[in-house]
């Protein structure tokens, strides 16, 4: 290697690779322990029964599948509907890996499970529904997961019914999740189908009969209420459309007639919407609300308030048996209704209690109660502050509340979206008829760094009304190259709908983009592009198209929700606090002062920081006061201050060397070994290597490393460094007089004499050889070669000792080998 | 890094293929770093073995907060330190012929990594372990000085000094080799 070669580059390019045997050995051993340790400790502790383990595995895998968007995106075309290719991955794995239930637990043979799998593969939702009620537990579990993927409304209802019947059974949560998944998917399909229906007039026509029916029923219910016809309203609870059931429940709650309770409880179990945690077109909390209202109609005010808060906390008689408190606590519609109800009481504690809730529905009401009396600007500012400083439901509630403050809140919502609050886009979309707001949403779709915001933005374009707006199609085309697959696929999907509707002024641009997208790296986008070209009736399929651009690298692929001010502070403060504490302990004090000042800027008035700052300042002041007059009997603060000062020093000359050396010695004597080691290392790293004190420091480091860390090799290497220095090279930079040749000593200097007296002496030689030779395993004796090689010019005496020791060891090894051979021969 | 998150998730569910994928993805980087730290191929493979076995063992409690590669490198460093601490490993002598350990092993290694690389790895082995760690983690591990400072529990300035001094020493070792 030539000296001018780039060492850094050479080190970077050094490569090693394993052999196939090594790979096999490591993977086998690692896989073997994997099986033993794969289940989390907490899991093992909490989930004791085999059945519970089985169900919990199902719930977790369901959450994982949902989280990965397995249910979105196109698969194969069937009957005009886009459906997923049957894929049993994940489900099958969990079914197989989940512990088998105990005998007698009602589980059918594995053949039943296979049959379920075949039904899923064949898309037989009806068969799976029947398995839900007829199969064993394991089969029901599998059927629920499969139905979540392909089930229809009937399956969702069956799952919800089973969930209500399951009561405390662990399968309850699984059924709720599966039903919720189906309903979500159906809603998406419904929106998609609306796109495909054609003109708004067509859609209105298609929806007309249902709407008329519902309106007639609503009118009938109103009349019943006006006439006090409780029995009629109760009958509606049984036979009415869902909207009618809700309306009847609301009227019955107002009337407060206990005869309605039975039917309301049934509906509350079946349609309670207990899995809905966020705002949707959901009014299923009406039944729980009506029950609570009826049961408390004659109670005192404080009892009524307590009952509403109980419901909000997921307890009390209005929460059906079998619904877990946790699920109940997050029910959006219940929370919304409870907040409205509590708003009727003149009790100042209500708002503050609601402002603590984790229920998003109630939180938005709570924030509204706080701001509704304010002028618009301060109200907006207050909501923005909550969104930035608070977390979870309250943040969500504040953003929703901005939507109630009118057009004036648009800028604030835009700003919050810019900061990564996806919910702000959902609220902004209420104004998307406004071209300026539409432009903002398009901007967030293509340029917001946060993937959560962009994904919320792309969802706003499922509404076919917008495709004729000039900004929309170009933005969606750009979004097809988003780094996040959910966004690019949904953008492609929306474009395929736009192509179907032919409602864009950019048809040529769309056709061109879709031709290019046929070469897209994402298979699902390619499928949507093909569909779009088909919808456009394009005759250019097969034409040469431009190469698609690369995915955007300037946008985040997977973002997290923005941190609150407190979280940001914690993230910033954590490392800074650690560094400041380290500097306070190990110096330099002046840097510790700086760090604590920074911390106090972030957290003004923080008592612990103030105290630490005062301590660091005291060290710094003590360091200044004791400058040039440090003495071993100085008060501790002076020693510490001086230490801090010296350790932080970047020496330009050797002026500080003597003091550093003396202080290190003092620290050793005071048993401050770690600080002494640090100071000695500072000396060795910063001063000339032939300097007498540096050599002494190296010897001290060796001794400290041996005693503190039992690091024999490090110690010996330090000692070898000393013997590798020629006596004639040694100088004392701190005292020129010690470098003058002494006639009576043959021209040697005092520094050189001291070096031989205190460092390169027989005791040190023997100690070094002893350390090399006496290692129990004999492994360190190779350091004898290091001595022989490095010290041949500077210390022939130790070289001779090393050679003798080496010869002795080799002789011993030979003798031992011969002995073993002799034993082997006899055997 | 999403792929790593998915792999870890699968691994937590006991997926041996995920383990294989993680191993295939990082084994060469980790082996290179380990071999440079230890300067001995057999011991480096032992460390690699221990790292993956302990990683698989701890997987149920493991949370991927940052970068999987850095996490595995940190495990390597800890294992290497443990080896030194327990004196299971010797500081291997580097002789001027460029070979170390047994003749056959040295010859094999020289043939495998080439003469220039051999000189460089030998020179690296002569550095104090702390300097060696900094240089290897920075250049081969691709870690930032701040990350290395956290691993070594020293300030970033110290890491930088170790890096600079280490390179200077390497340079002088290599020049020495060439002159001879």
């Amino acid at each position: 290697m030539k000296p001018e070669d780039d060492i850094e580059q050479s080190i970077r390019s050094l490569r090693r690779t394993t052999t196939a045997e090594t790979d096999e050995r490591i993977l086998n051993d690692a896989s073997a322990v994997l099986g033993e340790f794969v289940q989390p400790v907490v899991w093992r502790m909490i989930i004791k029964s085999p059945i519970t383990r089985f169900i919990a595995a199902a719930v977790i895998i369901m959450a994982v599948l949902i989280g990965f968007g397995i249910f979105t995106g196109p698969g194969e075309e069937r009957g005009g509907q886009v459906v997923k290719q049957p894929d049993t991955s994940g489900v099958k794995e969990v079914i197989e890996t989940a512990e088998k239930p105990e005998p007698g637990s009602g589980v059918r043979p594995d053949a039943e499970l296979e049959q379920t799998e075949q039904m899923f593969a064949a898309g037989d939702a009806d068969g799976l529904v029947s398995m839900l009620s007829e199969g064993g537990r394991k089969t029901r579990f599998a059927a629920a997961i499969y139905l979540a993927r392909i089930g229809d409304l009937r399956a969702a209802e069956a799952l919800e019914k089973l969930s209500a019947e399951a009561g405390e059974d662990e399968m309850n949560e699984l059924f709720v999740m599966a039903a919720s998944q189906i309903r979500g998917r159906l809603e998406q399909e419904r929106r998609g189908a609306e796109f495909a229906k054609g003109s708004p007039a067509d859609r209105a026509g298609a929806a007309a009969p249902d709407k008329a029916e519902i309106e007639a029923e609503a009118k009938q219910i109103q009349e019943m209420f006006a006439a006090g016809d409780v029995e009629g309203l109760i009958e509606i609870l049984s036979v009415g459309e869902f909207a009618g059931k809700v309306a009847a429940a609301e009227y019955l709650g107002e009337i407060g007639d206990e005869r309605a309770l039975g039917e309301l409880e049934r509906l509350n179990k079946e349609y309670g919407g207990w899995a809905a945690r966020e705002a949707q077109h959901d009014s299923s909390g009406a039944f729980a609300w009506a029950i609570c209202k009826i049961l408390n109609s004659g109670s005192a005010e404080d009892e009524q308030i307590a009952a509403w808060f109980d419901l909000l906390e997921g307890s009390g008689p209005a929460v059906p048996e079998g619904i877990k408190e946790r699920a109940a606590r997050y029910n959006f519609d219940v929370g919304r209704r409870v907040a409205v109800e509590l708003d009727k009481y003149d009790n100042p504690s209500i708002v503050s209690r609601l402002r603590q809730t984790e229920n998003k529905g109630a939180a938005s009401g709570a924030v509204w109660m706080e701001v509704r009396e304010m002028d618009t600007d301060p109200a907006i500012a207050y909501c923005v502050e909550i969104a930035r400083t608070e977390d979870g439901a309250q943040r969500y509630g504040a953003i929703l509340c901005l939507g109630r403050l009118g057009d004036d809140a648009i800028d604030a919502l835009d700003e919050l979206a810019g900061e990564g609050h996806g919910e702000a886009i959902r609220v902004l979309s209420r104004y998307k008829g406004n071209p300026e707001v539409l432009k903002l949403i398009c901007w967030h779709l293509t340029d917001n760094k946060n993937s959560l915001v962009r994904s919320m933005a792309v969802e706003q374009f499922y509404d076919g009304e917008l495709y004729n707006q000039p900004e929309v199609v170009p933005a969606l085309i750009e979004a097809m190259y988003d780094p996040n697959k959910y966004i690019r696929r949904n953008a492609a999907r929306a474009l395929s709908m736009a192509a179907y509707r032919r409602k864009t002024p950019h048809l040529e641009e769309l056709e061109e983009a879709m031709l290019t997208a046929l070469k897209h790296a994402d298979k699902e986008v390619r499928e949507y592009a093909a569909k779009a070209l088909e919808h456009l009736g394009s005759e250019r399929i097969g034409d040469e198209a431009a190469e698609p651009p690369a995915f955007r690298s300037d946008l985040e692929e997977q973002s997290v929700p923005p941190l609150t001010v407190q979280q940001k502070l914690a993230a910033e403060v954590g490392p800074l606090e650690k560094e400041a504490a380290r500097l306070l302990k190990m110096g330099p004090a002046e840097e510790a002062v700086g760090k604590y000042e920074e911390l106090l800027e972030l957290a003004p008035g923080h008592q612990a920081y103030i105290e630490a700052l005062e301590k660091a300042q005291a060290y710094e002041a003590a360091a200044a006061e004791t400058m040039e007059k440090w003495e071993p009997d100085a008060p501790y603060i002076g020693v510490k201050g001086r230490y801090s000062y010296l350790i932080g020093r970047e020496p330009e000359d050797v002026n500080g060397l003597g003091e550093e050396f003396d202080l290190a010695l003092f620290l050793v004597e005071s048993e401050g070994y770690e600080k002494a080691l640090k100071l000695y290392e500072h000396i060795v790293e910063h001063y000339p290597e032939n300097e007498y004190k540096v050599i002494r420091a190296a010897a001290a480091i060796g001794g400290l490393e041996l005693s503190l860390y039992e690091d024999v090799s490090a110690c010996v290497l330090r000692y070898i460094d000393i013997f590798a220095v020629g006596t004639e090279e040694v100088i004392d930079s701190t005292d020129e007089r010690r470098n003058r040749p002494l006639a009576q000593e043959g021209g040697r200097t005092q520094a050189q004499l001291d070096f031989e007296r205190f460092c390169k002496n027989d005791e040190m030689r023997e100690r070094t050889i002893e350390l090399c030779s006496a290692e129990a395993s004999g492994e360190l004796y190779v350091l004898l070669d290091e001595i022989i090689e490095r010290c041949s010019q500077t210390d022939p005496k130790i070289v001779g000792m090393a050679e003798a020791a080496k010869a002795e060891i080799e002789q011993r090894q030979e003798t031992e080998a011969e002995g073993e051979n002799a034993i082997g021969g006899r055997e | 890094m999403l792929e790593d998150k998915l792999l870890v998730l699968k691994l937590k569910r006991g997926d041996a293929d995920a383990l294989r994928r993680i191993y295939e993805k990082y084994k060469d980087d980790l082996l290179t770093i380990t071999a440079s730290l230890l300067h001995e191929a057999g011991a480096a493979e032992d460390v690699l073995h221990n790292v993956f076995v302990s990683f698989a063992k701890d997987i149920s409690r493991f949370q991927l907060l940052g970068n999987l590669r850095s996490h595995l490198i940190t495990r390597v460093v800890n294992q290497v330190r443990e080896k030194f601490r327990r004196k299971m490993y010797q500081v291997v002598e580097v002789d001027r012929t460029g070979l170390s350990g047994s003749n056959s092993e040295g010859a094999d290694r020289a043939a495998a990594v080439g003469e220039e690389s051999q000189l460089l790895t030998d020179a690296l082995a002569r550095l104090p372990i702390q300097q060696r760690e900094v240089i290897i983690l920075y250049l081969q591990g691709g870690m930032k000085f701040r990350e290395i400072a956290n691993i070594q529990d020293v300030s970033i300035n110290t890491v930088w000094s170790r890096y600079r001094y280490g390179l200077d020493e390497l340079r002088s070792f290599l020049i020495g080799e060439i002159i001879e």
Side-chain angles (χ1 to χ4, degrees):
Chain A
M1 176 176 290
K2 294 174 189 170
E4 64 270 24
D5 278 355
D6 185 345
I7 293 177
E8 287 164 307
Q9 190 49 43
S10 302
I11 294 173
R12 278 197 183 98
S13 59
L14 286 175
R15 297 303 296 166
R16 292 293 176 102
T17 189
T18 53
T19 60
E21 291 85 340
T22 305
D23 292 347
E24 203 58 32
R25 178 172 67 94
I26 293 175
L27 281 169
N28 282 344
D29 291 356
S31 300
V33 298
L34 184 64
E36 296 170 35
F37 293 93
V38 71
Q39 298 292 357
V41 175
V42 175
W43 173 284
R44 283 203 301 271
M45 284 167 58
I46 296 172
I47 305 173
K48 288 176 184 163
S49 87
I51 293 290
T52 310
R53 274 200 288 275
F54 185 59
I55 301 305
V59 170
I60 287 168
I61 195 64
M62 179 81 79
V64 169
L65 295 175
I66 292 166
F68 291 162
I70 280 180
F71 302 114
T72 60
E76 63 176 4
E77 195 85 30
R78 187 197 300 160
Q81 293 290 318
V82 174
V83 296
K84 286 293 301 177
Q85 287 279 12
D87 176 10
T88 60
S89 63
V91 179
K92 196 174 174 185
E93 186 180 331
V94 168
I95 294 167
E96 283 169 358
T97 54
E99 188 166 327
K100 288 187 180 178
E102 299 292 333
S105 61
V107 177
R108 305 292 171 83
D110 285 347
E112 192 179 73
L113 200 57
E114 275 176 32
Q115 194 187 347
T116 311
E117 199 176 297
Q118 284 163 3
M119 286 175 177
F120 173 61
D124 180 4
D126 290 345
L128 289 170
V129 169
S130 68
M131 281 297 184
L132 272 182
S133 48
E134 294 164 11
R137 287 180 71 83
K138 198 168 176 179
T139 310
R140 293 164 72 195
F141 147 80
I145 296 183
Y146 289 144
L147 277 171
R149 296 190 185 185
I150 63 167
D152 52 15
L153 188 60
R154 210 164 57 78
E157 285 171 355
L159 283 161
E160 283 160 354
K161 194 174 169 201
L162 282 168
S163 159
E165 288 169 4
E168 290 296 328
D169 192 301
E170 296 88 351
M171 285 190 95
N172 183 354
E173 196 169 339
L174 174 65
F175 291 150
V176 168
M177 202 179 280
S180 163
Q181 184 58 33
I182 293 171
R183 286 191 183 279
R185 185 165 42 75
L186 292 177
E187 175 62 18
Q188 277 191 346
E189 285 174 8
R190 185 188 64 74
R191 289 184 196 176
E194 275 186 15
F195 288 146
K197 275 183 186 170
S199 70
D202 291 342
R203 285 206 305 281
D210 284 344
K211 199 177 168 189
E213 248 175 61
I214 290 167
E215 278 175 1
E217 192 177 75
K219 195 176 171 193
Q220 187 190 359
I221 293 166
Q222 264 184 334
E223 285 167 3
M224 286 176 178
F225 176 60
D229 181 3
V230 172
E231 283 171 2
L233 288 169
I234 292 173
E235 195 182 341
I236 292 288
L237 289 179
S238 322
V239 300
E241 294 292 323
F242 184 75
K245 289 182 194 325
V246 169
E250 286 169 346
Y251 285 131
L252 285 164
E254 293 297 345
I255 295 168
D257 195 308
E258 290 187 357
R259 283 177 292 168
L261 282 173
E263 196 57 29
L264 283 170
E265 279 171 3
R266 184 186 69 78
L267 290 170
N268 193 26
K269 270 188 186 176
E270 268 188 50
Y271 300 107
W274 298 103
R277 295 184 177 191
E278 296 198 358
Q280 16 186 288
H281 300 298
D282 172 40
S283 46
S284 50
F287 310 117
W289 169 87
I291 293 168
C292 193
K293 185 94 179 162
I294 292 169
L295 288 175
N296 291 287
S297 59
S299 309
E301 183 177 304
D302 54 346
E303 285 174 6
Q304 289 180 5
I305 292 172
W308 288 119
F309 274 109
D310 279 349
L311 177 56
L312 196 58
E313 292 299 319
S315 59
V319 178
E321 279 181 22
I323 298 295
K324 290 190 176 155
E325 184 185 309
R326 188 174 165 75
R329 206 187 307 153
Y330 295 114
N331 187 314
F332 187 92
D333 193 49
V334 166
R336 186 178 63 81
R337 287 171 188 274
V338 168
V340 170
E341 206 57 43
L342 284 167
D343 196 22
K344 294 174 184 168
Y345 301 97
D346 184 19
N347 183 328
S349 72
I350 286 175
V351 178
S352 57
R353 283 182 72 183
L354 282 175
R355 286 280 282 109
Q356 307 296 321
T357 182
E358 295 171 46
N359 185 302
K360 289 180 174 179
S364 59
V367 178
W368 175 243
M369 288 177 209
E370 282 195 314
V371 302
R372 64 186 165 197
E373 302 296 332
M374 296 182 187
D375 288 339
T376 308
D377 287 347
I380 291 171
Y382 186 65
C383 289
V384 169
E385 188 190 332
I386 293 173
R388 285 178 179 153
T389 55
E390 297 186 27
D391 203 5
Q394 298 297 332
R395 166 187 285 185
Y396 182 97
I399 295 174
L400 251 57
C401 198
L402 282 169
R404 299 168 83 164
L405 293 170
D407 293 5
D408 291 339
I410 287 174
D411 287 347
L413 287 163
D414 178 40
E415 206 172 313
L416 288 172
E419 292 167 15
H421 297 272
E423 219 37 66
I425 293 287
R426 186 178 284 174
V427 180
L428 265 181
S429 73
R430 296 180 192 172
Y431 305 100
K432 63 190 173 189
N434 174 340
E436 291 307 312
V437 173
L438 189 63
K439 274 184 199 169
L440 290 177
I441 297 175
C442 288
W443 183 89
H444 286 293
L445 172 62
T446 55
D447 289 281
N448 194 307
K449 293 263 184 278
N450 190 301
S451 66
L452 299 173
V453 178
R454 298 198 306 278
S455 66
M456 195 64 86
V458 79
E459 285 179 10
Q460 307 315 317
F461 297 110
Y462 292 162
D463 182 347
E465 294 296 325
L466 297 171
Y467 296 143
N468 55 359
Q469 299 298 318
E471 299 84 4
V472 174
V473 165
L476 287 169
I477 290 172
E478 201 174 336
M480 278 201 301
Y481 300 94
D482 195 287
N484 181 296
K485 69 179 178 188
Y486 172 84
I487 297 165
R488 58 179 181 255
R489 289 172 185 179
N490 280 295
R493 178 181 169 208
L495 285 170
S496 79
M497 297 295 184
Y500 188 83
R501 301 278 312 280
R502 300 190 186 195
K503 286 280 284 184
T504 170
H506 297 281
L507 278 175
E508 282 181 21
E509 192 182 337
L510 179 59
E511 184 181 26
E512 196 66 45
M514 288 301 162
L515 279 169
T516 302
L518 287 176
K519 296 182 184 174
H520 199 286
D522 186 325
K523 178 174 170 281
E524 293 192 13
V525 172
R526 292 199 299 273
E527 289 171 356
Y528 281 125
K531 205 169 287 179
L533 289 167
E534 191 187 319
H535 291 161
L536 287 171
S538 174
E539 294 173 356
R540 294 182 58 198
I541 298 176
D543 284 4
E544 191 59 34
E547 284 301 314
F551 292 165
R552 297 271 298 272
S553 58
D554 55 332
L555 304 176
E556 292 169 1
E557 186 184 348
Q558 291 288 341
S559 306
V560 292
L563 300 177
T564 62
V565 171
Q566 287 79 4
Q567 287 166 333
K568 275 186 203 160
L569 185 64
E572 206 172 337
V573 158
L576 193 58
E577 194 178 71
K578 195 177 163 196
E579 176 69 359
R582 192 187 64 76
L583 286 167
L584 185 64
K585 187 180 171 203
M586 299 302 285
E590 63 188 45
E591 285 184 26
V593 168
K595 294 291 175 197
Y596 279 110
E597 282 171 351
E598 277 181 49
L599 281 167
L600 279 166
E601 276 177 28
L602 293 168
H606 192 291
Q607 194 53 33
Y609 298 159
I610 291 171
E611 285 167 14
L613 176 63
E614 284 168 358
K615 199 184 268 186
Q617 283 168 335
Y619 292 159
E620 197 183 10
E625 280 171 17
T626 53
M627 180 83 77
E628 306 300 336
K629 59 173 185 175
W630 176 82
E631 289 172 6
D633 58 352
Y636 180 70
I637 192 167
V639 176
K640 182 142 187 171
R642 203 65 199 145
Y643 164 82
S644 277
Y645 166 75
L646 290 169
I647 206 76
R649 194 165 171 268
E650 283 291 342
E652 292 167 356
D653 54 41
V654 291
N655 287 337
L657 174 57
E659 191 187 354
E660 277 191 55
F661 188 79
D662 289 344
L663 180 54
L665 201 60
F666 172 79
L667 288 167
V668 170
E669 286 166 359
S670 318
E671 298 182 1
Y673 298 124
E674 289 188 6
K675 277 198 175 71
L677 182 60
K678 201 168 164 68
L679 208 47
Y680 280 133
E681 281 176 345
H682 190 258
I683 291 169
V684 170
E685 282 182 14
H686 289 86
Y687 297 99
E689 63 183 10
N690 61 334
E691 153 62 52
Y692 173 67
K693 289 190 173 62
V694 173
I695 296 167
R696 293 287 304 270
I701 291 172
L704 285 167
E705 283 175 334
L706 186 62
S707 55
L708 282 174
Y709 309 123
E710 297 181 12
D711 192 341
V712 181
S713 59
C715 173
V716 171
L717 284 168
R718 292 285 181 190
Y719 291 170
I720 295 173
D721 286 344
I722 295 168
F723 290 109
V725 175
T727 305
E728 66 287 352
E729 300 169 37
V730 174
I731 55 162
D732 188 332
S733 314
T734 60
D735 188 348
E736 191 47 44
R737 287 171 304 176
R738 284 166 51 78
N739 294 325
R740 289 178 195 154
L742 300 170
Q744 67 275 27
E745 297 292 344
R748 298 223 243 182
T749 68
Q750 189 60 49
Q752 290 164 358
L753 288 172
D754 286 347
F755 171 60
E756 293 212 326
R757 187 180 304 153
F758 298 113
C759 303
K760 201 193 270 189
N761 56 28
D762 282 346
E763 192 187 337
M764 191 78 159
R765 288 187 186 96
E766 282 164 16
R767 175 85 175 127
T768 307
I769 299 297
E770 191 185 319
L771 284 169
C772 293
S773 321
E775 175 71 11
S777 60
E779 286 173 336
L780 285 180
Y781 92 96
V782 289
L783 287 175
L784 293 170
D785 285 334
E786 178 83 355
I787 294 172
I788 295 165
E789 183 190 307
R790 287 185 60 199
C791 308
S792 58
Q793 302 297 317
T794 55
D795 195 326
K797 196 169 182 180
I798 198 171
V799 171
M801 291 165 75
E803 284 170 342
K806 193 179 169 193
E808 192 185 323
I809 290 166
E810 285 171 355
Q811 178 63 41
R812 195 169 64 223
Q813 287 175 343
E814 275 175 26
T815 310
E816 283 168 6
E818 281 168 11
E820 282 170 14
N821 287 341
I823 293 165
R826 279 200 298 277
E827 284 173 351
Chain B
M1 291 304 101
L2 187 63
E3 189 200 13
D4 285 352
K5 283 187 181 167
L6 284 172
L7 287 171
V8 169
L9 187 70
K10 286 180 179 176
L11 192 53
K12 278 173 174 279
R13 285 160 47 198
D15 186 340
D17 281 340
L19 181 66
R20 179 174 288 276
R21 173 78 190 110
I22 292 172
Y23 176 76
E24 293 293 344
K25 194 171 172 187
Y26 294 117
K27 62 168 184 164
D28 288 348
D29 284 355
L30 297 180
L31 185 72
T32 303
I33 291 166
T34 317
S36 299
L37 286 171
L38 288 173
H39 193 241
E40 207 270 305
E45 288 186 349
D46 285 345
V47 165
L48 190 67
H49 174 272
N50 293 348
V51 163
F52 272 94
V53 170
S54 66
F55 179 60
K57 205 170 177 178
D58 297 340
I59 192 66
S60 61
R61 293 191 301 270
F62 175 66
Q63 292 288 322
L64 182 58
L65 299 175
N67 181 317
L68 181 60
R69 187 169 181 273
S70 293
H71 172 81
L72 291 170
I73 291 173
T74 306
R75 278 178 178 264
V76 162
V77 171
N78 290 337
Q79 287 278 342
V80 168
R81 286 181 183 170
E82 186 64 21
K83 247 183 172 355
F84 277 117
R85 240 193 313 274
R86 291 186 180 181
K87 302 175 205 163
M88 286 164 62
Y89 184 72
Q90 63 194 45
V91 176
V92 176
E93 153 59 352
V94 181
D95 75 26
R96 296 285 172 178
T97 63
L99 302 177
S100 63
S102 71
N103 286 341
S104 60
E105 187 193 336
D108 288 348
R109 202 174 63 220
V113 298
E115 194 182 339
E116 284 194 358
S117 299
Q118 185 66 62
L119 281 175
L120 192 56
T121 50
D122 289 346
L124 272 170
R126 289 166 68 173
L127 292 179
I129 184 65
Q130 289 164 328
Q131 289 180 7
R132 200 189 319 164
E133 236 181 42
V134 171
I135 288 175
I136 289 164
L137 294 182
Y138 182 70
L139 295 176
Q140 293 183 341
M143 295 179 90
K144 295 186 170 67
F145 283 124
R146 187 162 296 285
E147 290 176 303
I148 301 170
N150 281 339
I151 288 181
Q152 295 197 334
D153 199 19
V154 293
S155 73
I156 197 164
N157 287 338
T158 305
V159 169
W160 171 241
S161 299
R162 285 175 181 170
Y163 181 70
R164 208 155 31 95
Y165 288 124
L167 281 187
D168 286 345
E169 281 200 58
L170 269 184
R171 203 166 281 120
S172 61
F173 290 152
L174 292 169
I175 289 169
E177 293 287 349
I178 289 153
I179 290 168
E180 285 183 13

